[in-house]
């Protein structure tokens, strides 16, 4: 299929210099920063993004606050690659010295909530998608801007994925310094309740639930799952919230605590949960088992293409929409994960420029198989 036919299908401004393409991407990012888009409150940002895409000849489909676009001339017999980044943000952390919803430039640095996580990946992937729409490919291409990523919401990517064509491989944009994360830790949150018996603290009465909880907390702190991943390391369990007691002179009958469990790809969340229940005395319930660890084979053509471009594969400790995808996925995007969810979040212009260029080179002349 010729480049000319693509141009006839999409009215896209493609004759742009790298500098112009970067400038346009950053202007879109400024627009999105200025629109609060906390998880489950992304409607206004989705509206702005939809308008921007339509003004440039794209024809996005919308489901709740998710937007996606299929590159022209989709062919069912070809494999399909998904580009995905999210439009939602966390709420501002304490300590901002700038207005989080006011895009602020200092030199070549752009400050603003969502600039690094995940606006930089979003605008860079979108520009790369527009370029690739005009190139001949041996695969179909889909771009998805997802909602509710920061809270793992069920009307975000999880919903959108059920509406998309069959996907064979995904490229998920998250701040990785444009290095390819070929594995990602999963997440399981546990509600744990230790039981005792109430009594008066001044007398030898009752059975203190806090003391029972401490025994189980110590187990969560010290237990080591035997299988350790080369890329992701061990399964990590952390007690993060504790609640017990009503007043100083009452022995508490109940102690509740939360445990954050980060799984590696060698265990499913269900397997980890079974082991936990076998070892602790408290009642344990999982919020969900759906956010499992993910991994893509280093031999996959997408990974090999990244390596050929001088990128270094690694394992990521942070969660993304990858956890909801039941096909191989690679995580790679501009920015630094250490800036995410922090005060004075920022992205550099050069990082956006590099990302667009690398994404286009990564996707050009790529050959992938149907899964």
């Amino acid at each position: 299929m010729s480049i000319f036919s693509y141009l006839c299908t999409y009215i896209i401004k493609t004759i742009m210099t790298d500098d112009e393409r970067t400038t346009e991407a950053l202007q879109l990012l400024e627009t999105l920063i200025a629109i609060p888009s906390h998880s489950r409150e992304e409607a206004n940002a989705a509206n702005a993004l939809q308008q921007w895409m339509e003004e440039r000849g794209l024809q996005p489909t919308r489901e709740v606050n998710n937007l996606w676009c299929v590159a022209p001339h989709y062919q069912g017999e070809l494999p399909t690659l998904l580009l995905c980044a999210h439009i939602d943000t966390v709420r501002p952390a304490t300590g901002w010295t700038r207005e989080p919803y006011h895009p602020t430039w200092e030199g070549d640095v752009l400050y603003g909530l969502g600039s690094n996580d995940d606006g930089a990946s979003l605008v860079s992937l979108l520009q790369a998608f527009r370029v690739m729409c005009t190139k001949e490919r041996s695969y179909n291409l889909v771009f998805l801007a997802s909602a509710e990523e920061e809270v793992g919401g069920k009307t975000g990517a999880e919903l959108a994925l059920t509406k998309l064509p069959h996907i064979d491989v995904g490229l998920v944009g998250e701040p990785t310094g444009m290095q390819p994360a070929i594995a990602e830790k999963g997440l399981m949150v546990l509600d744990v309740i230790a039981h005792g018996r109430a009594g008066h603290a001044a007398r030898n009465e009752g059975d203190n639930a806090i003391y029972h909880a401490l025994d189980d907390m110590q187990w969560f702190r010290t237990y080591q799952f035997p299988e350790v991943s080369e890329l992701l390391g061990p399964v990590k369990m952390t007690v993060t919230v504790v609640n017990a007691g009503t007043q100083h002179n009452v022995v508490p009958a109940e102690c509740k605590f939360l445990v954050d469990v980060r799984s590696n790809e060698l265990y499913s969340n269900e397997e980890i949960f079974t082991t936990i229940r076998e070892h602790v005395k408290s009642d344990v319930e999982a919020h969900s088992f759906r956010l499992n660890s993910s991994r893509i084979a280093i031999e996959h053509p997408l990974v090999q293409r990244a390596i050929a471009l001088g990128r270094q594969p690694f394992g990521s400790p942070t969660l993304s929409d990858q956890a909801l995808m039941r096909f191989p996925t690679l995580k790679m995007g501009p920015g630094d994960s250490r800036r995410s969810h922090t005060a004075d979040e920022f992205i550099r212009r050069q990082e956006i420029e590099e990302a667009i260029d690398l994404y286009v080179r990564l996707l050009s002349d790529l050959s992938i198989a149907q899964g």
Side-chain angles (χ1 to χ4, degrees):
M1 195 166 297
S2 69
I3 291 177
F4 178 76
S5 66
Y6 280 104
L7 292 172
C8 289
T9 304
Y10 270 104
I11 308 170
I12 304 174
K13 182 182 177 183
T14 58
I15 305 174
M16 302 175 72
T17 65
D18 290 344
D19 186 66
E20 290 171 332
R21 192 172 288 115
T22 300
T23 297
E24 186 182 53
L26 285 163
Q27 288 170 345
L28 173 59
L29 182 53
E30 289 179 34
T31 297
L32 294 174
I33 289 171
I35 303 172
S37 54
H38 310 140
S39 301
R40 300 192 177 97
E41 300 173 8
E42 309 97 339
N44 290 336
N47 291 342
L49 181 59
Q50 182 174 355
Q51 179 179 343
W52 190 94
M53 294 172 72
E54 290 173 347
E55 287 174 349
R56 285 153 182 81
L58 299 172
Q59 298 176 338
T61 300
R62 182 164 177 173
E63 187 75 25
V64 191
N65 293 322
N66 305 285
L67 292 165
W68 66 88
C69 192
V70 179
H73 302 290
Y74 176 88
Q75 299 179 60
E77 68 274 14
L78 294 179
T80 300
L81 190 152
L82 173 68
L83 307 178
C84 179
H86 64 90
I87 63 175
D88 61 313
T89 73
V90 296
R91 294 183 182 275
T94 57
W96 276 82
T97 62
R98 302 164 178 85
E99 167 54 48
Y101 306 111
H102 186 281
T104 303
W105 282 98
E106 295 182 13
D108 69 341
V109 177
L110 174 61
Y111 290 90
L113 182 65
S115 56
N116 178 78
D117 183 16
D118 192 33
S121 291
L122 180 72
V123 299
S124 298
L125 278 175
L126 181 51
Q127 291 293 62
F129 173 79
R130 294 176 64 212
V131 172
M132 294 307 299
C133 281
T134 69
K135 290 179 175 286
E136 293 196 58
R137 292 168 277 100
S138 61
Y139 57 90
N140 300 309
L141 190 62
V142 179
F143 170 81
L144 169 63
S146 65
E148 300 185 12
E149 190 273 348
E150 296 290 4
V151 294
K154 293 193 175 184
T155 56
E158 186 169 15
L159 173 62
L161 289 168
T162 67
K163 310 291 184 178
L164 300 182
H166 173 80
I167 304 296
D168 297 280
V169 63
L171 175 56
V172 177
E174 288 279 348
T176 68
M178 288 306 288
Q179 300 299 336
I182 63 173
E184 174 185 88
K185 280 198 168 181
L187 170 66
M188 179 171 57
V189 179
L190 304 178
D191 287 315
V192 186
I193 305 177
H195 298 281
R197 188 177 69 258
H200 199 297
R203 296 188 292 268
N204 190 24
E205 293 179 349
D207 181 17
N208 197 321
I210 293 177
Y211 298 154
H212 294 297
L214 286 173
D215 291 337
D216 286 339
M217 289 182 196
Q218 182 65 9
W219 181 85
F220 280 113
R221 182 181 182 183
T222 60
Y223 183 80
Q224 296 291 319
F225 283 83
E227 298 294 332
V228 177
S229 166
E230 292 183 6
L231 286 165
L232 298 174
V235 172
K236 188 174 185 297
M237 301 186 292
T238 307
V239 176
T240 54
V241 179
V242 181
N243 289 290
T246 57
Q247 59 191 59
H248 77 90
N249 57 355
V250 178
V251 173
E254 190 175 82
C255 179
K256 299 179 180 179
F257 58 99
L258 287 179
V259 182
D260 177 290
V261 180
R262 303 288 170 154
S263 53
N264 62 29
E265 80 282 12
L266 304 177
Y267 294 96
S268 69
N269 285 336
E270 290 89 341
E271 290 171 330
I272 294 171
F273 182 76
T274 297
T275 299
I276 291 170
R277 274 196 158 177
E278 289 172 349
H279 285 81
V280 302
K281 295 179 181 178
S282 301
D283 294 337
V284 184
E285 295 295 337
H287 289 192
S288 169
F289 296 121
R290 52 198 266 273
L291 302 177
N292 281 293
S293 177
S294 60
R295 184 170 185 171
I296 185 171
I298 198 166
E299 296 82 14
H300 193 284
L302 190 61
V303 180
Q304 288 299 305
R305 181 72 173 153
I307 293 172
L309 291 172
R311 306 291 98 183
Q312 181 63 50
F314 74 104
S316 171
T318 57
L319 193 72
S320 74
D321 279 334
Q322 282 184 287
L324 302 170
M325 299 176 181
R326 303 296 175 250
F327 44 82
T329 53
L330 177 68
K331 183 165 72 176
M332 179 174 167
D336 189 328
S337 180
R338 290 171 294 185
R339 300 177 203 157
S340 302
H341 306 182
T342 64
D344 294 334
E345 180 183 351
F346 68 90
I347 194 72
R348 294 184 175 89
R349 178 187 177 90
Q350 182 180 358
E351 292 174 307
I352 300 286
E353 184 172 12
E354 177 195 40
I356 297 170
D357 175 67
L358 274 171
Y359 280 143
V360 171
R361 287 196 284 153
L362 181 71
L363 298 170
S364 298
D365 302 318
L366 177 68
S367 179
I368 57 175
Q370 286 185 312

